[in-house]
Amino acid sequence: MSDVPRPDVVTGDAVALDVPLAQLPIRVVAFLLDLVVQIVLLVGALLLIAFAVGDIDESMATALIIVSIVAVVVGYPVTFETLSRGRSLGKMALGLRVVADDGGPERFRQAFFRGLTAVVEIYMLSGAPAVICALANQKGKRLGDLFGGTVVISERAPKESGPPPEMPPQLAAWAATLELTGLTDDLATVSRQYLTRLPQLSPAAAHEMGFRIASQVSARVQPPPPPGVPPYAYLAAVLAERRRRDIARFSGKRQGQL
């Protein structure tokens, strides 16, 4: 069992995922990397303004300086996190990502709240409120995360998972014909976590979530399952066949290297 704290993050299908939280020291390093990028951008902008100062009046130069500072301090993280779905350059380097509390991608509104709050809690107050709040909060949230409804996770930390799904014997022949190239890792993870938590769900919740996830999987995997196959059996067959092919591919590569 890993001692990395994990948030109670839920996907759009209401399936709780074991997603490791980003620990505070790693987040600080990611911030420092972003800060270096921001300083470089700001210095470049100020140099351009300095070169052009002879052609513009003092008030215009002052306005450009203020706009440059706002664009770098607020615009940089907001733009990057919105376009890259929760990752600035520093977060990319360290495998961190900002996600919504429901496990979905960070939206512009949330990135904007985080960026504005950072001006006060990080830049104006030297980061003290952000550190204190992150240490006091169970999910390591700073004030910007609380206001924005977000949490920072680590995509590179080891993730806990249950035993691999077993192939339902009656579906083995059908599963061997599957075209699995359209099945994404994210969707496979949601399916696996659903199967892991299946015994903990009520029958109604298990059926509803299973049907919704199976519908998403069947839209990417062909051919469709035989009639009457319950969602949990369908998902188990798809994941078991995917794992079987991965193992066979890996074994083939190893034999080819010997």
Side-chain angles (χ1 to χ4, degrees), residues 13 15-17 188-199 201 203 205-211 213-214 231-233 235:
D13 293 295
V15 180
L17 297 178
T189 297
V190 171
S191 302
R192 183 166 55 252
Q193 294 295 340
Y194 163 74
L195 292 174
T196 300
R197 283 159 177 73
L198 188 59
L201 302 175
H207 176 76
E208 179 184 358
M209 285 189 285
F211 179 78
I213 298 173
Y232 69 86
L235 295 174

Side-chain angles (χ1 to χ4, degrees), residues 179-184 220 245:
E179 172 56 52
L180 298 174
T181 55
L183 182 62
T184 64
R220 295 175 174 270
R245 295 183 189 181

Side-chain angles (χ1 to χ4, degrees), residues 210-222:
F211 179 78
R212 291 165 62 185
I213 298 173
S215 297
Q216 294 182 32
V217 172
S218 63
R220 295 175 174 270
V221 173
Q222 296 296 328

Side-chain angles (χ1 to χ4, degrees), residues 130-163:
V131 172
I132 294 173
C133 184
L135 291 174
N137 186 269
Q138 185 179 9
K139 297 182 180 180
K141 293 188 173 190
R142 65 175 178 86
L143 293 176
D145 293 312
L146 292 176
F147 293 146
T150 56
V151 64
V152 182
I153 63 172
S154 175
E155 297 181 306
R156 294 180 184 172
K159 300 176 183 178
E160 298 176 0
S161 60

Side-chain angles (χ1 to χ4, degrees), residues 8-230:
D8 196 10
V9 178
V10 178
T11 69
D13 293 295
V15 180
L17 297 178
D18 288 326
V19 185
L21 288 167
Q23 298 189 13
L24 183 58
I26 301 178
R27 293 180 63 179
V28 171
V29 175
F31 168 76
L32 292 177
L33 292 176
D34 285 325
L35 184 61
V36 171
V37 175
Q38 289 173 294
I39 291 174
V40 171
L41 292 175
L42 185 57
V43 170
L46 294 180
L47 287 176
L48 289 177
I49 295 173
F51 286 136
V53 73
D55 300 326
I56 57 177
D57 57 32
E58 184 177 348
S59 60
M60 177 63 71
T62 301
L64 289 176
I65 291 174
I66 294 175
V67 170
S68 299
I69 294 174
V70 172
V72 171
V73 173
V74 179
Y76 165 82
V78 172
T79 301
F80 265 92
E81 290 185 8
T82 301
L83 295 179
S84 63
R85 301 169 69 88
R87 296 186 297 175
S88 61
L89 292 179
K91 291 182 177 66
M92 289 181 188
L94 295 178
L96 306 183
R97 183 187 293 272
V98 182
V99 298
D101 283 337
D102 64 357
E106 182 187 23
R107 297 175 175 85
F108 170 77
R109 175 184 59 81
Q110 295 168 316
F112 187 67
F113 273 119
R114 296 184 83 253
L116 282 183
T117 309
V119 174
V120 178
E121 65 172 330
I122 296 179
Y123 295 102
M124 294 180 63
L125 299 176
S126 303
V131 172
I132 294 173
C133 184
L135 291 174
N137 186 269
Q138 185 179 9
K139 297 182 180 180
K141 293 188 173 190
R142 65 175 178 86
L143 293 176
D145 293 312
L146 292 176
F147 293 146
T150 56
V151 64
V152 182
I153 63 172
S154 175
E155 297 181 306
R156 294 180 184 172
K159 300 176 183 178
E160 298 176 0
S161 60
E166 296 184 1
M167 173 67 71
Q170 70 275 18
L171 296 178
W174 164 81
T177 67
L178 289 175
E179 172 56 52
L180 298 174
T181 55
L183 182 62
T184 64
D185 291 339
D186 289 343
L187 190 51
T189 297
V190 171
S191 302
R192 183 166 55 252
Q193 294 295 340
Y194 163 74
L195 292 174
T196 300
R197 283 159 177 73
L198 188 59
Q200 306 169 13
L201 302 175
S202 67
H207 176 76
E208 179 184 358
M209 285 189 285
F211 179 78
R212 291 165 62 185
I213 298 173
S215 297
Q216 294 182 32
V217 172
S218 63
R220 295 175 174 270
V221 173
Q222 296 296 328
V229 174

